[in-house]
Amino acid sequence: MTLQVAIIGAGPAGFYAAEALAKEEGVQVDLIDRLPTPHGLIRSGVAPDHQTTKKVTKKYDQTAARENVRYIGNVTMGTDVSVAELRDLYDAVIIAFGAEGDRPIGLPGEDKEGVYGSFAFVGWYNGHPDFTDLAPDLDIDAAVVIGNGNVALDCARLLVRTENEMKASDIADHAGEAIYGSGVKDVYILGRRGPVQASFSIAEMREMGELEQGISVVHDAQIPEALPEDMDPKEARSRKPVLEVLKSFRPNVSGSAAKTVHFEFFCRPVEILGDDRVTGVRVERTRLVDNRAIGTGEMFDIPCQLVIGCIGYVSREVEGLPMEGGVVVNIDGRVDQGLYCVGWAKRGPTGTIGTNRPDAQDVAARVLEDMKGGAGKPGGAGLDALLIDRAIRVTTYDDWSAIDAAEIARAKEGAPRRKFLTIPDMLSVVDEA
Ligand code: NAP
């Protein structure tokens, strides 16, 4: 009997789970996504100027091409079909929908105009249909980016990119126009801890030293000459080159280029200032105690008209899924009988794209172990009937291929694609194909 598996979310974790399961005999996988476009964060999270990273989707195409894998796009779990219904229809349901919301910064004034979470801001410049209308005002002097991870670097870098630097990117049209016309002169990246604790990766860090119209600056005194001697050797190997790049910024002078990116370590935001609109961020100087940031009571204000919180993501709440701390409650990917999770929904928003592969393989192995001899549910045939009954329009991987081809065909010279920004626009392409 065929084991019927539904995977919810066609991002990296979903594709790696599908890959691991589909190579087994007697398994049928339905990969369900709420958008007509698959690939999750590869399409809408990875920065548009990081095209090499996006090439991983070629591997996902191979998985989608397998006879026992079906892509079902434009179907939202929670509204079009419930978790309980999916569990009735499939032997195993694997939640792979990642983290689709911003963790609140938790600051007074966070609701002011001009304050965004990185999920929304990144979605906006990447042309995610949910954020097409975000329209952040970039006719500004200064922006503050909160957090010391790669998402913070992505947001800061994109804010100072030139049209020339982005010509081989797939940035959304609206974002390109706003960014290239932006008056922003200063971008502040705030880290509540120090440069040694920052989770920047070396490739992203190097880019901050190669900006066409930007200069990255640091406070000399905040950048140590060397890493602490007692640092874990593995961590030291990845931190050392990042520290070297920060050291290379020491001679740089603020204002010596059209745009300055200020690395401000040892400061934590305590309040977003302004009336309806943000006019600044009040920050408190910190010092490290046992590797934790402790406020010193010394305050200062950074005037700005845009704030982007890059402090982490949370997964979406859906009826029928136990959630805690922004992730699905699970033990090693097991949630309940026949219900599993993988990727960021399972472990929170950490790790690279590749981290999801072994993670998904482990959970797939658990599914196969748990389901030995237990198959027999209707699977996709049952789901198809239910969706037809509800007049839900579904899209296939061939439909995605048509959207893909149309985006590539209308790309500006040198760019890989020009994205469609709304679901109706995507569906019109499918209708015309
Ligand atoms: P991250 O690496 O976990 O960084 C989050 C940052 O937010 C940390 O510096 C953290 O500081 C800070 N933070 C958390 N709460 C805060 C608060 N209340 N106030 C001030 N700062 C706060 O997460 P991310 O940048 O969102 O990235 C998510 C994952 O995607 C990471 O694994 C990242 O490497 C990956 N990613 C990779 C790439 C790439 O490889 N190009 C690009 C984007 C994302 P503390 O350290 O003090 O907690």
Side-chain angles (χ1 to χ4, degrees), residues 33 93 99 127 172 185 197 336 364 427:
D33 200 282
V93 175
K185 287 187 187 60
Q197 291 75 32
D336 195 1
L427 296 180

Side-chain angles (χ1 to χ4, degrees), residues 257-375:
K259 306 196 184 237
T260 303
V261 179
H262 307 254
F263 284 85
E264 291 280 348
F265 296 104
F266 302 108
C267 62
R268 66 174 185 200
V270 292
E271 187 181 349
I272 308 286
L273 306 171
D275 293 326
D276 293 342
R277 266 205 74 87
V278 54
T279 57
V281 179
R282 179 153 302 157
V283 296
E284 181 180 20
R285 197 46 82 209
T286 61
R287 63 190 172 85
L288 280 190
V289 177
D290 294 334
N291 224 16
R292 292 182 53 234
I294 304 294
T296 62
E298 181 194 338
M299 305 281 180
F300 60 101
D301 295 347
I302 303 176
C304 67
Q305 304 80 37
L306 174 73
V307 174
I308 308 169
C310 305
I311 63 156
Y313 302 135
V314 290
S315 290
R316 188 159 57 93
E317 304 255 339
V318 178
E319 197 187 330
L321 276 187
M323 305 285 298
E324 204 176 293
V327 298
V328 179
V329 179
N330 72 93
I331 297 172
D332 296 332
R334 289 187 176 103
V335 182
D336 195 1
Q337 174 68 34
L339 186 61
Y340 303 83
C341 60
V342 289
W344 281 8
K346 168 183 173 239
R347 32 170 239 280
T350 58
T352 63
I353 294 158
T355 312
N356 291 299
R357 193 155 186 248
D359 176 276
Q361 285 168 342
D362 280 354
V363 176
R366 265 170 220 128
V367 171
L368 295 168
E369 187 188 313
D370 293 352
M371 293 294 149
K372 264 188 205 132

Side-chain angles (χ1 to χ4, degrees), residues 30-33 70-75 90 383 387 394-395:
D30 279 356
L31 193 48
I32 302 168
D33 200 282
R70 195 166 66 128
Y71 176 73
I72 305 175
N74 206 34
V75 173
Y90 290 87
L383 179 67
L387 294 173
V394 304
T395 56

